[in-house]
Every structure is written in structure tokens, then in C-alpha cells.
Amino acid sequence: MKKEFPATFLWFLLGWLLLNILQSAFTGVIYDEAYYWYYSQNMAWGYFDHPPMVAVLIKLSSIFFNGELGVRFMSTLLSAGTAMLLWKLIEDKTKKNYIAHFFLLLFSMVLFNAYGFLTLPDTPLLFFTALFLWVYKGYLNKPNWPLAIALGLLMAALMYSKYHAVLVIVFVILSNLRLLLDPKAWVAVLIALLAYFPHLNWLYLNDFVTIKYHIYERPNHPYTFTGFTLGYILNLIANFGLLFPFFYWALFKTKPRDKFTKALVFLAYGVIGFFFVSTFQKRSQAQWVIVLCIPLFILTYTYLLQNAKSRKWMVRLGVVSMVLLFYARAWLIYQPLFPPKVFETHSKEWTQKLEAIVGDTPVVFENSYRRAPMYSFYTGNQSFSLNNIHYRRNQYSIDSSEANIQHKKIAYVTYYANSGDFSYKPIGKNSRVFWGKYIDDFKSYRKLHCFIETEEVSLNKKNQILNIYNPYNQDIALSHIKLNVAYLNDYKQLKETKPLAYKTKLNGTTFLKAKDTTQFIINFPKPKEDNLSFIRFSIAEHNLLTGINSESIPIKK
């Protein structure tokens, strides 16, 4: 251990680990973490938005601790493990003389700092990317069956972390096309597919809901250079903070002299190029390119070891960056350090305000898969996200949580209203007021599924057939629901919703039969706009806002 990791390195590493553990314990969870904590309450091979690795980390953390650390403990260990792997991936023997520089550079990466303690899908993605590259480097030096098997398992672990991991696998293969002629490499792929089969099976059983959402159902916006492409470029800068010039200059100056360095360069340019091209179709998010931290760190630290002048400037900017990031870390814990801004980690207060009003009454949040789990995490009380046509589907749309609150008295919380039985306001001068009302007998039918037999719909065709499948165990009276059609533009943005006139194909039917499909004859009402591209069927029940009860169906032009 001492030969590979000098004592100085281990002391720095221990400091990094303890810092992240303390940060984890005293920093409130962010909304996404609360959502993934909700995942972990019902373990599965997949979830609406992501593969299950993030839920596994939280479940393991909860074995050792409660509260925030019970969400993040495994992430702090993975972060320390990632640092160790990065150290091992750098071959320059002079690195032992610049251990402080190693950690200063590590600390300068903004999102890497965040994923040092936050539990998000990118946390295991970073660790398994580093581990995959380390094993791949060993395989290049000495191809053998144990390493091939390990590569297969690690490819599966990457894909269990986040779908973006496919870019890591693809660009490493593209950097060394001779792998396509290597039987061991093909066995590694087969092992990866076998290990990943449970998630593939989950996708199949759930009608590929995750893939459909990310590729087809996600709302978008018209392209603008500033909002899409320039925003992406700024994300590339933000990931690496004040030291970003060093990272990209090192990438530019690196001339691959071996297959492993070539893999790092291909991976870096590949990820940058892939998401740059994607900006012409959709807006990117900063964390989408987080995997760049692994190859760029290795290339940059290696470059700095060989360039004394660059090291001096790196230290100066690195110290400034470290001070700023320490202050930001402190602010995440103690909001008054930056009074104008309230961040997600300061959300515990609003959950306590709401609990003081409603007690242990279950809370239904309208259109907020973020607030519902946050409330449950901090109060231990039941909550649910009821999603309508103005929002999007999420994990609450496909799991069994709706059944847990049926026919109960609930507190219904929304930010669309301006009156109600009660209200509360989160901290912050500019925070909006949320209104709530009590419903004595809550009934929701958001799992009713509408579909047609054709791939497109014609708005002018008369007497078309609509199918509604009722997955519930009880019949649902037609008098309790209202059928609507929503019109969407090219970017799947809602433009208007209209009541949909219908008659049952079977005369005399007054209900949707349990576990059965009922057919209706419909005629589409004329929309106000002409430039529409999709429709969605939407059902309202018991005076609630109309839900999301079908996929987006193209309109025949």
C-alpha cells in the first residue's frame, strides 16, 4: 500500500474523505437526492428516470446511518475510491513529489466536488469509469480472461449507473478497433449483456418507459444559440471552474503515444463532440459531461507534472478556487452566508412548516416529484406526486404509491391556486406561496391508459376508435371522469386542452370495467392553432386537473 500510495497521499485522502463525510452529515439533501431516496424505499431493477445503481448506493448507506449520511455515506467512499484510481492511472514517477498538486487539481473540479458527497447517478458513473479505465489499462498490458470478465462486469456496472455510460464504452472501443477481432473482448460484451439483463427485462416489462421518456416524451424548446450551444459551452467551463483552461489545453496538447492515452483522448473528444451535436436538438445539462472529469484529470495532471510554469499558475488559481469552493460548501450548510440565495439544501424548513399545519395527514403535491419525496424524507409522513397534463410523468406515475392514499383524507398542495384551506411559504423573500386544501376521500385514476390502434391520428376523420384500459381492481363510472384531448407543438409543449366528445362503442356502457379495455367513438374538437404536431389523451377525475393518460401521438399532416 505504501509503495503505491505514499503516506502523504493517504493523509490527503483521509482529509478528503472526512471532509465529505462531515459535509454529508450537515448538508440538507437536494431534491434529486430525495427523489432517489424514494427509489430506494422500493428496490427494483429499474426506475422511471434512471437505472437502479443510485438506489443501491442509498440502500447500502442506510444500513450504516440515518438521515442525510444515510443517503450519502457510500458516495463518500466511492469518491475516495475514485481519487485512488486516478492516482494509480498516472504513470509519471515524479507524481510522488506533487501530491498536494494532485488534490488541489482534484478539488478544483466543481461538480467532482459536489459528487464527493452528493448521491446522484453521476456519482457511481465517475467511480466505475475510473475503475473501468484502470482495468482496461491492465488488459492492454496483459490481456487475459480474468480481466476480460472484469471488463464485462464493469461495463454492466457503468450502464446500471447511468445510460450516458454507453459513451464511455463506445469511445474506448473506437479508440482501439482491434478489440473487434479479440475473442476475449466479445466475451466481455456477452458478460456485460448477461449482467445487464435484469434491467433490460425490467424495461421490457414496463414498456420501455425510461427510454421512451428520454428519447421521445421529454419536452423541448425551439433552438437558440445562446440557450443551447452557448449554454453547453458554459457547462464545459463550469465543470472545471477557474482551472478550466489547463484542462482543455492539456487535452489539446496531448499526442497519444499508446493505446491507453488514445482511449482517454477519444473519450474526452467523443463526449464533448457528442453533446455538442446534441445541442442542436435539445438543451444540455452541466452534469451530462461529468464523465469528462476522469480522462481530463489524468491528462491534465500528467501535463502539469511536465510543465513547471503551468504548475505555478495552477497552484495560484487552484488556491483561489479552493477558497471559493470551501465557502460554497459552507453556504450549502448555513444559508445566511449568502443571504440572497436559497438553495435546495435549505429545504428542511418548509417541510417542517407544512407538517406543523397538516400533522400526519398524507400530502399530495400537484406536479412535484421533487417536493413529495423531500417532504417524506424529513417528516416520515406519506406523500404523493399527482402529475397533470401541464407537467410530466415520473416514478410516481408507474409505481404503486397511488394505491397507498386512495380513499384517505389528504392535504392537496399546489402552487396554481391563490386560495385554499391553508398556505405556507418556504424560506426566501422571493419564494412563492403554496396553497392547500383538504380532500376527505381522495380518488385518483391516473393509471387509466388511452391508446389508439394507428401510429398517427387525423384530426378531421370522423368516428375514430379510442381504447381506454382500466388497470384498477374496481369498475370506474364514466360519470366520475372527464375525457380531454391535449394539443402539443413540435417540441411536445402543451398548447391547449379541450373536452373530448365521445360515445361508447357498446351502447349502454356506463363504466370502465376493471382490468379491461373499453372502446369509445370520438371526434376531435378543432384546435385554435394550426401548427400542432402531437396529441395526448387526458382524463380528469373528481374535479382534479386533467392527467397524463397516453403517449404523445403524432398528428397526420
Side-chain angles (χ1 to χ4, degrees):
M1 176 70 79
K2 287 186 177 180
K3 186 176 180 180
E4 294 187 21
F5 300 102
T8 304
F9 178 90
L10 293 176
W11 280 113
F12 270 104
L13 184 68
L14 179 61
W16 171 262
L17 177 61
L18 291 177
L19 172 65
N20 287 326
I21 289 176
L22 290 172
Q23 187 85 49
S24 298
F26 292 102
T27 304
V29 297
I30 65 174
Y31 284 116
D32 280 354
E33 285 183 297
Y35 186 44
Y36 303 139
W37 167 83
Y38 173 69
Y39 281 9
S40 73
Q41 303 309 291
N42 292 283
M43 295 300 296
W45 285 105
Y47 299 93
F48 183 90
D49 310 80
H50 292 290
M53 186 65 76
V54 66
V56 173
L57 292 186
I58 295 174
K59 180 61 73 173
L60 291 174
S61 297
S62 68
I63 295 173
F64 302 101
F65 297 98
N66 297 316
E68 289 87 353
L69 197 52
V71 172
R72 297 169 171 155
F73 180 62
M74 290 302 300
S75 294
T76 65
L77 298 183
L78 290 190
S79 175
T82 303
M84 296 176 73
L85 288 165
L86 288 172
W87 179 261
K88 289 177 68 66
L89 283 166
I90 295 164
E91 290 188 341
D92 196 316
K93 294 181 180 180
T94 63
K95 67 182 181 180
K96 294 181 180 180
N97 300 323
Y98 300 100
I99 294 173
H101 294 70
F102 176 93
F103 282 94
L104 191 61
L105 188 65
L106 197 71
F107 204 93
S108 70
M109 295 188 292
V110 178
L111 285 188
F112 190 89
N113 257 268
Y115 296 131
F117 62 95
L118 296 178
T119 299
L120 301 167
D122 304 278
T123 308
L125 176 63
L126 286 171
F127 173 77
F128 286 116
T129 297
L131 186 55
F132 173 76
L133 290 174
W134 179 62
V135 174
Y136 175 67
K137 185 177 182 181
Y139 185 83
L140 289 174
N141 292 331
K142 187 177 181 182
N144 56 56
W145 285 109
L147 288 179
I149 293 170
L151 284 173
L153 294 175
L154 285 171
M155 283 190 281
L158 279 165
M159 292 302 298
Y160 272 119
S161 299
K162 196 171 184 179
Y163 296 123
H164 288 167
V166 70
L167 299 178
V168 177
I169 299 168
V170 167
F171 287 119
V172 167
I173 293 174
L174 288 177
S175 74
N176 184 11
L177 291 177
R178 287 185 177 273
L179 290 171
L180 299 177
L181 303 177
D182 183 353
K184 296 185 183 68
W186 283 106
V187 171
V189 172
L190 178 61
I191 290 171
L193 290 173
L194 289 173
Y196 201 56
F197 176 77
H199 180 65
L200 295 175
N201 185 56
W202 181 91
L203 287 171
Y204 173 76
L205 294 175
N206 287 272
D207 196 28
F208 296 95
V209 62
T210 312
I211 307 301
K212 284 182 178 179
Y213 170 72
H214 285 301
I215 296 179
Y216 302 113
E217 293 297 324
R218 203 168 192 148
N220 203 0
H221 300 275
Y223 174 80
T224 63
F225 175 78
T226 54
F228 285 58
T229 306
L230 180 59
Y232 169 69
I233 295 171
L234 293 177
N235 287 339
L236 289 175
I237 294 172
N239 265 281
F240 299 100
L242 297 179
L243 293 181
F244 78 89
F246 294 95
F247 286 93
Y248 293 110
W249 181 250
L251 173 62
F252 176 73
K253 295 293 289 184
T254 299
K255 306 299 179 186
R257 294 182 175 86
D258 57 76
K259 290 181 179 179
F260 181 70
T261 305
K262 186 178 180 183
L264 297 178
V265 172
F266 262 65
L267 177 55
Y269 280 121
V271 170
I272 293 171
F274 177 85
F275 286 113
F276 174 76
V277 172
S278 75
T279 65
F280 296 101
Q281 292 184 320
K282 63 180 65 176
R283 186 173 298 174
S284 69
Q285 298 177 15
Q287 72 273 16
W288 287 3
V289 295
I290 186 64
V291 75
L292 281 176
C293 288
I294 303 302
L296 287 192
F297 181 91
I298 299 169
L299 297 176
T300 304
Y301 185 65
T302 302
Y303 176 80
L304 291 173
L305 290 176
Q306 301 164 0
N307 292 270
K309 186 176 180 181
S310 294
R311 281 201 307 273
K312 290 181 180 179
W313 279 105
M314 185 274 287
V315 170
R316 294 167 184 170
L317 285 174
V319 169
V320 175
S321 178
M322 183 176 67
V323 171
L324 292 174
L325 286 171
F326 264 119
Y327 191 85
R329 279 173 171 257
W331 166 67
L332 292 178
I333 300 172
Y334 187 59
Q335 190 269 335
L337 286 175
F338 191 50
K341 183 69 175 175
V342 177
F343 192 58
E344 297 174 20
T345 56
H346 311 129
S347 297
K348 185 176 181 178
E349 184 174 325
W350 74 256
T351 66
Q352 295 171 332
K353 284 183 178 181
L354 182 56
E355 185 185 27
I357 297 170
V358 304
D360 59 0
T361 302
V363 180
V364 174
F365 291 86
E366 185 176 64
N367 288 353
S368 188
Y369 72 91
R370 292 154 60 87
R371 290 183 174 272
M374 183 74 83
Y375 181 77
S376 286
F377 178 80
Y378 278 117
T379 67
N381 296 328
Q382 267 189 333
S383 66
F384 178 69
S385 174
L386 189 74
N387 312 301
N388 61 46
I389 196 65
H390 298 279
Y391 198 49
R392 75 167 181 89
R393 300 177 73 213
N394 48 64
Q395 182 62 24
Y396 288 94
S397 305
I398 65 171
D399 63 19
S400 61
S401 54
E402 182 190 53
N404 297 331
I405 56 172
Q406 295 281 31
H407 302 291
K408 290 184 179 180
K409 178 181 179 179
I410 62 100
Y412 188 83
V413 173
T414 178
Y415 50 72
Y416 294 114
N418 53 17
S419 64
D421 298 324
F422 62 87
S423 66
Y424 72 93
K425 184 178 180 181
I427 61 174
K429 293 181 179 179
N430 298 322
S431 61
R432 69 181 77 184
V433 174
F434 287 79
W435 287 92
K437 64 179 180 179
Y438 292 105
I439 299 176
D440 291 327
D441 182 16
F442 178 77
K443 293 184 285 290
S444 169
Y445 305 134
R446 294 300 157 96
K447 292 184 181 294
L448 291 175
H449 180 60
C450 302
F451 62 98
I452 59 174
E453 300 296 341
T454 58
E455 294 183 357
E456 296 180 319
V457 296
S458 173
L459 298 185
N460 299 319
K461 185 178 178 181
K462 300 296 183 182
N463 299 328
Q464 299 186 60
I465 302 299
L466 169 67
N467 303 280
I468 301 182
Y469 174 68
N470 175 11
Y472 297 97
N473 292 320
Q474 76 270 6
D475 298 342
I476 298 174
L478 293 177
S479 60
H480 291 171
I481 65 173
K482 295 179 181 178
L483 190 57
N484 299 272
V485 60
Y487 294 105
L488 294 76
N489 63 13
D490 288 341
Y491 305 99
K492 295 187 173 68
Q493 296 171 325
L494 178 66
K495 303 306 293 183
E496 63 176 307
T497 303
K498 284 182 171 291
L500 186 62
Y502 66 88
K503 59 182 178 180
T504 56
K505 192 173 183 183
L506 181 63
N507 292 333
T509 299
T510 58
F511 56 84
L512 300 174
K513 194 173 181 180
K515 302 292 183 180
D516 200 1
T517 299
T518 306
Q519 290 190 324
F520 296 86
I521 300 171
I522 61 170
N523 293 298
F524 289 103
K526 184 175 178 59
K528 295 178 182 178
E529 298 185 21
D530 294 326
N531 57 334
L532 299 168
S533 299
F534 300 91
I535 65 154
R536 266 185 172 174
F537 293 104
S538 183
I539 295 175
E541 71 277 54
H542 302 290
N543 297 316
L544 298 173
L545 286 179
T546 181
I548 307 170
N549 299 95
S550 79
E551 312 293 342
S552 300
I553 305 170
I555 296 173
K556 188 175 182 178
K557 301 294 186 179

